[in-house]
Amino acid sequence: MNDPADMIDAEGLIEAMVEIVGPEWVLYDPEETRAYASDALTAYREIPRVVVLPNGEEEIVAIVNICQQRQIPIVPRGAGTGLSGGARPIREGVVLSLARMNRILALDPEAAIAILEPGVRNLAISEAAFPHGLFYAPDPSSQIACTIGGNVNENAGGVHCLKYGLTLHNVLQVRGILSSGEVFECGGQTPDSPGLDLLPLLIGSEGMLMIVTEVTVRLLPRPTHAKVVMASFDSIETCAHAVAAIISSSLIPAGLEMMDQAATRAVEDYVHAGYDCEAAAILLVESDGSKTEVDEEIAEIKEILLLNGSRSLVVSETEEERQRIWSGRKNAFPAAGRVAPEYYCMDGTVPRRQMAPLLAHIAQLEKHYRLRCMNVFHAGDGNMHPLILFDGKIMGEWARAEAFGNAILEKCIELGGTVTGEHGVGVEKLDSLCLQFTDAEREVFHALKKVFDPLRILNPDKGIPSLRRCVEHGRKRVDAQKRLPTNLEHF
Amino acid sequence: MKLEEKIPRRAEVEDLLARCVQCGFCNATCPTYLATGLELEGPRGRIGLIKSMVEGHAVSEKTQHHLDRCLTCLNCETSCPSGVEYRRIIDIGRAWMKDCIPRGIGSHLPRVMLSKMMAHPIGLGLGFRVGRWFKYLLPSAFRPYLHPPRRLNLALSPATETLRTVLLLQGCVQRHLAPAINQALSDVLVKLGYRVVEIRHADCCGAVGHHLGDSETAKAQAKKTMRALHPYLLDPTLQGDQAPIIVMTSSACGLMLKDFEALYQEDLEMAEDAKRIHQCALDPLELIERHVSAIRHRIDHAGIKGLSLKIHEPCTLQHGLKLKGRLAALFSSLGFEVSQGVAPHLCCGAGGVYSLMNPEMAQSLREEKRRHLGLEGQGDAIALTSNIGCMLHLDSKGEVVHWIEFLQGLFKEGR
């Protein structure tokens, strides 16, 4: 049999890649590239033509130049823990894995910053900062594995972003490679920088604007004390009202998370976090800061929760206990794998007062689509993560799960919310985005994309839906636009 | 090459695979993924490779290579929120590979030799002796295993009242390389009042063959171990609350004993014994933990003042037997200041016979582990561990010892 390289490498692409990074770091045989067919949203799969693992910015520049000359799409990939298919490969394209670039280039405790390669794991930043009494605040549930490059591209949040903000609020500077092969830097170590502020545009751009090669993050002083309250509720509605009560008080908890019974039961089995599995929903409320601050805040939180219908409360007494309580929440998604063969994790946001109506609607949808759904969410900012449980081996279940998910997102928009909270659009939310934005808004997105990547080689089929797609999928409210689309450019 | 349509244990593997939701958390604690950044060198990628085999995709030496490179440290099982039983998946995957992809002589021969040698205690002893003479002609990866045996002379001082019966399996490699370890456990248990029966004719428990994907040899060896234990399992005086406790001083072997049940679940003749062994097997740590207060006042801390005590919990102990943190806890409850160093969850690179098959990866993990444990710094440090493989792999001048040997040395005269 011929070497697979000869069959798929008519253009000498593999040879060129091997020249840049060495044979060990180029994969082209489907036996090996299949491992890169999806990120953690496994329903969308595609085996890429080549996977390349560069080690250093110069190698990335060389790779981008080769792809630019040949108009070959590039899909960047960090740890592959994403949940919207942002790293799903393109069949004719290159997957650019940044996993080898995992060095912490500098950590300056006095300036409280760290300069990182894109493949540094989120948790590794806080581990390195620990001896200096510092930490990196955004803590997505996948923080043990996900990388800072991926966090920047998805604008990752986490359970503590209510108080400390998203990735956007904790990154000072980003350096990357444009599709032209040029190095591009934005942001700076000063609070404000001259010129247009492009940093917020790049953070959350899902690999569509540039390949991130270096990230400078802000580190914060690690709070000396932290405690979490776990409160049980007999109904979802009371729990949602208690959230509203906390938010409308003067408190800003470090974390405010809600889990329904289906979710607590699934994780309790693995983590033994001590969750009240009899409660219809539980709420986790964290306070951090100095000892006095924490004690005062916890007392206040307890009072609000009890006044608002919490039937029992547990406060973490030790750091170990606190970690255990959180680990249940952080492992909630994959723990769904214990109760069903597959799950479809949704990511929508609604105004906080709309949480109870949305949950009631989801309960109805469960019956309609004949699928179970676990609910886990960042209650503090109204970011919901319904986990739809299904078995892909059963004919039609995945289609039902997908329809179920879309119905949830449509409801989110109807209630004044959005179709993504923190997981990004990727390939998953493209259709939902047609509902979220007007033609004019999407045209601005496309125009911006064109400025950064005129050849459309950087993760080209993700993030922004084309007008054609919106029409073809029947998801665009044409009547609302009062005109039929005329210019159907395929993006 | 593709797997046959009717592959053995297909349904079992499909069930095991269904648990994995591919979240990728496991990669974060996988030593080979951390070292390479390659998806295929992490548990999620390896599970994917095995899934591909089930789905009927062609496999080659590439798949074999990635499965070979797994240390079987099982750190992924500890990290996995979905409860994937990786150990069972990789074992079956490796067994399939053996049927699918013939190995070249250079890869095949040492595997067969290692796997079969364990079954022949006399040959094994002779092998070590000859190996020691020709130590410098052999690949350097073999050298840690060819030092003269460590010895310890013990005088037993039996207690008056006898507790339960402990069946101490002698194992294979360890009794040639460090016979003092089994003696030390025996001595401590006798001091604590146990009746210790040394089972000498069992030989290798099968762990080595099992790791190498040679399940036939592994099963034959496991059977021999079960046969040796059989009379005790039947003994009418050793039933109910007098049931024997079965121990091995190496945690890798202890884990293998636990695995007998899964290995023989469909073998009517052996299943019952395998299940009993699974129930009766304990790591020595679990046994000694019960006697902390008795031991505390019988040992002498004076001799080791100023010594920095490091704990290296082998993967088989923390991820396999799920006794994470317990060895460190034992010594701190005995009044010692202990340190597990940075990243105590990571493998040292020994991985059974892994260090002989993949010396480069093993060596880099060893250096990292020694650094993390603080064994490369100034001052006297002793590292305690519970597995002969890790002990010899990590050691440089006798500073890495089995914890039971260390503990035995602390008992005051005559106590």
Side-chain angles (χ1 to χ4, degrees):
Chain A
M1 206 175 105
N2 290 335
D3 187 350
D6 300 333
M7 294 189 289
I8 53 176
D9 200 27
E11 301 159 69
L13 176 68
I14 293 164
E15 209 185 319
M17 294 296 166
V18 167
E19 212 158 281
I20 299 167
V21 296
E24 213 181 325
W25 307 108
V26 181
L27 310 174
Y28 50 81
D29 187 338
E31 183 178 345
E32 296 188 299
T33 48
R34 195 173 288 119
Y36 289 84
S38 75
D39 55 18
L41 179 62
T42 54
Y44 299 92
R45 301 177 70 81
E46 195 73 76
I47 297 176
R49 177 150 62 159
V50 190
V51 177
V52 193
L53 292 97
N55 190 10
E57 198 177 80
E58 280 168 28
E59 292 185 359
I60 298 178
V61 170
I63 292 166
V64 171
N65 279 332
I66 296 281
C67 292
Q68 182 216 136
Q69 286 155 17
R70 297 160 200 232
Q71 300 239 8
I72 292 168
I74 302 173
V75 177
R77 176 184 170 107
T81 52
L83 292 166
S84 60
R88 196 233 39 215
I90 293 169
R91 195 183 305 164
E92 287 313 306
V94 171
V95 165
L96 186 74
S97 166
L98 296 144
R100 289 174 69 205
M101 292 177 59
N102 59 359
R103 283 160 293 234
I104 295 177
L105 300 172
L107 197 153
D108 181 346
E110 278 175 26
I113 59 164
I115 304 175
L116 314 158
E117 286 191 330
V120 174
R121 292 180 304 118
N122 174 299
L123 192 61
I125 310 170
S126 290
E127 282 168 359
F130 187 89
H132 308 289
L134 300 167
F135 81 119
Y136 176 65
D139 58 342
S141 295
S142 56
Q143 73 178 138
I144 181 177
C146 66
T147 61
I148 188 66
N151 288 179
V152 164
N153 275 302
E154 302 294 327
N155 190 15
V159 298
H160 288 90
C161 69
L162 179 62
K163 181 168 177 178
Y164 297 105
L166 301 164
T167 302
L168 172 64
H169 308 104
N170 291 278
V171 166
L172 297 168
Q173 200 169 5
V174 174
R175 183 180 158 99
I177 309 298
L178 299 174
S179 68
S180 60
E182 286 163 289
V183 173
F184 189 82
E185 254 182 352
C186 62
Q189 292 177 22
T190 52
D192 193 16
S193 42
L196 293 175
D197 189 359
L198 296 176
L199 198 58
L201 176 64
L202 284 169
I203 295 178
S205 61
E206 305 198 18
M208 295 185 294
L209 304 185
M210 67 181 200
I211 309 285
V212 172
T213 58
E214 193 182 293
V215 182
T216 305
V217 300
R218 182 205 319 272
L219 301 173
L220 298 175
R222 191 157 34 85
T224 53
H225 285 78
K227 277 185 179 177
V228 60
V229 185
M230 180 166 59
S232 311
F233 292 87
D234 284 329
S235 80
I236 302 262
E237 287 74 25
T238 28
C239 187
H241 286 134
V243 171
I246 289 180
I247 295 293
S248 59
S249 73
S250 57
L251 294 168
I252 301 177
L256 183 52
E257 297 286 312
M258 186 166 161
M259 292 167 86
D260 73 1
Q261 194 179 46
T264 53
R265 287 190 173 172
V267 288
E268 189 57 27
D269 189 34
Y270 160 61
V271 182
H272 313 296
Y275 289 163
D276 179 354
C277 295
E278 297 308 311
I282 65 162
L283 203 58
L284 305 179
V285 195
E286 175 145 294
S287 164
D288 63 12
S290 70
K291 189 172 184 316
T292 348
E293 279 170 341
V294 172
D295 287 345
E296 275 175 21
E297 233 174 53
I298 289 286
E300 220 174 313
I301 291 167
K302 276 166 76 174
E303 199 185 312
I304 299 174
L305 290 170
L306 287 172
L307 272 176
N308 284 279
S310 166
R311 64 159 204 207
S312 68
L313 290 175
V314 178
V315 182
S316 65
E317 290 304 326
T318 61
E319 179 58 20
E320 206 183 10
E321 196 182 349
R322 187 183 77 88
Q323 295 286 359
R324 196 175 60 237
I325 290 173
W326 277 120
S327 75
R329 168 60 189 84
K330 294 211 166 179
N331 289 302
F333 294 179
R338 291 175 177 260
V339 286
E342 285 167 80
Y343 67 89
Y344 183 32
C345 170
M346 303 307 299
D347 172 42
T349 306
V350 288
R352 280 179 296 243
R353 64 177 188 288
Q354 301 288 13
M355 278 191 310
L358 179 63
L359 285 165
H361 187 71
I362 290 174
Q364 281 175 10
L365 293 174
E366 277 188 280
K367 289 190 198 108
H368 182 257
Y369 290 101
R370 287 171 287 126
L371 290 172
R372 281 187 301 155
C373 181
M374 288 168 39
N375 286 293
V376 172
F377 46 97
H378 308 305
D381 41 18
N383 185 189
M384 328 268 301
H385 293 311
L387 301 168
I388 300 167
L389 308 178
F390 69 99
D391 184 347
K393 285 210 202 93
I394 299 174
M395 198 57 160
E397 280 218 351
W398 163 239
R400 286 215 305 280
E402 217 179 2
F404 189 168
N406 280 326
I408 295 176
L409 296 180
E410 273 173 36
K411 189 72 182 174
C412 286
I413 296 179
E414 192 188 310
L415 294 170
T418 69
V419 294
T420 93
E422 55 183 6
H423 295 174
V425 175
V427 282
E428 183 209 6
K429 299 287 180 56
L430 282 171
D431 294 342
S432 308
L433 234 62
C434 300
L435 289 178
Q436 181 96 55
F437 296 105
T438 64
D439 280 358
E441 286 161 343
R442 281 185 305 102
E443 266 164 35
V444 173
F445 293 161
H446 284 300
L448 278 168
K449 161 90 176 151
K450 212 167 181 175
V451 172
F452 281 84
D453 177 23
L455 293 171
R456 298 199 290 109
I457 60 165
L458 296 180
N459 219 5
D461 65 344
K462 316 280 170 61
I464 320 167
S466 65
L467 185 55
R468 171 177 291 171
R469 181 178 182 123
C470 290
V471 174
E472 277 171 3
H473 287 256
R475 306 298 304 274
K476 194 172 166 311
R477 288 167 296 180
V478 176
D479 54 320
Q481 303 300 318
K482 298 219 162 85
R483 64 176 175 83
L484 280 168
T486 47
N487 174 19
L488 294 186
E489 182 200 1
H490 187 77
F491 205 84
Chain B
M1 172 152 178
K2 284 186 187 180
L3 275 176
E4 297 289 318
E5 190 57 29
K6 282 187 184 163
I7 43 175
R9 305 173 80 182
R10 182 189 194 114
E12 185 186 349
V13 169
E14 282 181 348
D15 276 354
L16 292 167
L17 290 172
R19 275 253 164 137
C20 175
V21 296
Q22 301 183 40
C23 66
F25 288 17
C26 51
N27 283 348
T29 60
C30 172
T32 52
Y33 179 84
L34 292 176
T36 61
L38 268 174
E39 194 65 47
L40 297 146
E41 293 286 321
R44 177 169 64 173
R46 291 186 178 115
I47 287 174
L49 289 169
I50 292 166
K51 203 173 178 182
S52 293
M53 291 164 82
V54 178
E55 286 166 357
H57 295 291
V59 290
S60 71
E61 288 79 7
K62 290 180 177 167
T63 297
Q64 184 180 53
H65 172 74
H66 296 305
L67 299 188
D68 279 356
R69 290 251 288 190
C70 166
L71 289 142
T72 333
C73 71
L74 308 180
N75 213 327
C76 50
E77 284 199 7
T78 303
S79 314
C80 178
S82 308
V84 174
E85 291 176 83
Y86 176 82
R87 180 156 41 111
R88 292 175 61 193
I89 299 176
I90 187 91
D91 282 349
I92 297 171
R94 282 173 169 167
W96 285 347
M97 278 326 294
K98 197 172 154 262
D99 300 337
C100 256
I101 309 287
R103 286 182 188 275
I105 189 81
S107 161
H108 184 62
L109 199 63
R111 282 167 184 273
V112 172
M113 279 176 64
L114 280 168
S115 173
K116 304 277 185 214
M117 221 165 68
M118 302 299 160
H120 300 287
I122 299 169
L124 186 63
L126 198 68
F128 276 116
R129 215 161 291 169
V130 175
R132 276 175 206 131
W133 295 337
F134 297 106
K135 178 159 141 172
Y136 294 99
L137 297 176
L138 288 167
S140 60
F142 285 78
R143 277 178 216 153
Y145 306 99
L146 296 172
H147 296 308
R150 301 182 180 196
R151 293 208 185 274
L152 184 76
N153 288 319
L154 300 175
L156 299 184
S157 50
T160 45
E161 189 196 359
T162 312
L163 289 165
R164 303 242 312 256
T165 297
V166 174
L167 307 176
L168 173 56
L169 286 158
Q170 299 287 302
C172 50
V173 176
Q174 182 179 295
R175 80 169 173 230
H176 295 283
L177 293 176
I181 297 174
N182 283 335
Q183 288 172 35
L185 177 63
S186 177
D187 178 59
V188 172
L189 290 176
V190 168
K191 280 181 199 295
L192 292 170
Y194 288 92
R195 172 179 165 242
V196 178
V197 180
E198 292 179 3
I199 312 283
R200 291 189 170 274
H201 43 281
D203 307 326
C204 176
C205 58
V208 174
H210 195 57
H211 270 191
L212 290 167
D214 183 358
S215 54
E216 279 144 47
T217 310
K219 272 185 141 177
Q221 290 169 339
K223 203 171 233 175
K224 197 170 176 197
T225 301
M226 284 198 266
R227 291 253 156 83
L229 291 169
H230 186 70
Y232 299 95
L233 299 175
L234 284 185
D235 189 333
T237 64
L238 299 177
Q239 304 299 323
D241 61 357
Q242 287 306 308
I245 296 163
I246 303 169
V247 295
M248 293 189 85
T249 45
S250 155
S251 50
C253 309
L255 181 61
M256 186 66 197
L257 291 179
K258 289 276 185 195
D259 279 353
F260 282 1
E261 192 184 15
L263 207 60
Y264 279 101
Q265 58 188 357
E266 273 155 26
D267 184 326
L268 290 177
E269 188 199 345
M270 309 303 289
E272 185 57 27
D273 273 5
K275 197 173 160 193
R276 278 288 304 282
I277 292 169
H278 178 92
Q279 289 161 348
C280 296
L282 279 185
D283 189 88
L285 175 61
E286 295 170 276
L287 205 50
I288 298 297
E289 275 176 342
R290 299 174 183 175
H291 305 283
V292 167
S293 54
I295 295 171
R296 230 184 129 101
H297 69 267
R298 292 169 73 177
I299 56 174
D300 195 351
H301 295 70
I304 55 150
K305 278 239 165 76
L307 186 76
S308 167
L309 202 55
K310 318 285 186 186
I311 305 282
H312 170 57
E313 294 184 340
C315 299
T316 41
L317 189 73
Q318 51 174 329
H319 308 300
L321 293 166
K322 317 280 181 214
L323 298 171
K324 193 183 178 89
R326 298 261 284 270
L327 185 56
L330 172 69
F331 277 87
S332 72
S333 63
L334 286 173
F336 295 95
E337 266 210 25
V338 298
S339 146
Q340 290 188 272
V342 182
H345 60 285
L346 287 183
C347 178
C348 67
V353 289
Y354 185 92
S355 60
L356 304 179
M357 299 291 144
N358 300 274
E360 247 172 74
M361 177 67 76
Q363 200 54 31
S364 87
L365 292 170
R366 173 185 185 266
E367 279 158 25
E368 187 176 71
K369 180 55 78 181
R370 283 184 61 87
R371 233 183 7 259
H372 282 167
L373 277 171
L375 292 178
E376 296 295 1
Q378 301 293 313
D380 287 335
I382 283 218
L384 304 183
T385 188
S386 69
N387 193 46
I388 179 84
C390 311
M391 183 179 108
L392 297 175
H393 177 68
L394 274 177
D395 192 55
S396 79
K397 49 183 196 297
E399 77 278 35
V400 184
V401 296
H402 195 290
W403 65 271
I404 191 69
E405 210 182 331
F406 178 78
L407 184 67
Q408 198 277 340
L410 297 175
F411 273 79
K412 295 176 195 162
E413 288 288 309
R415 292 266 185 146

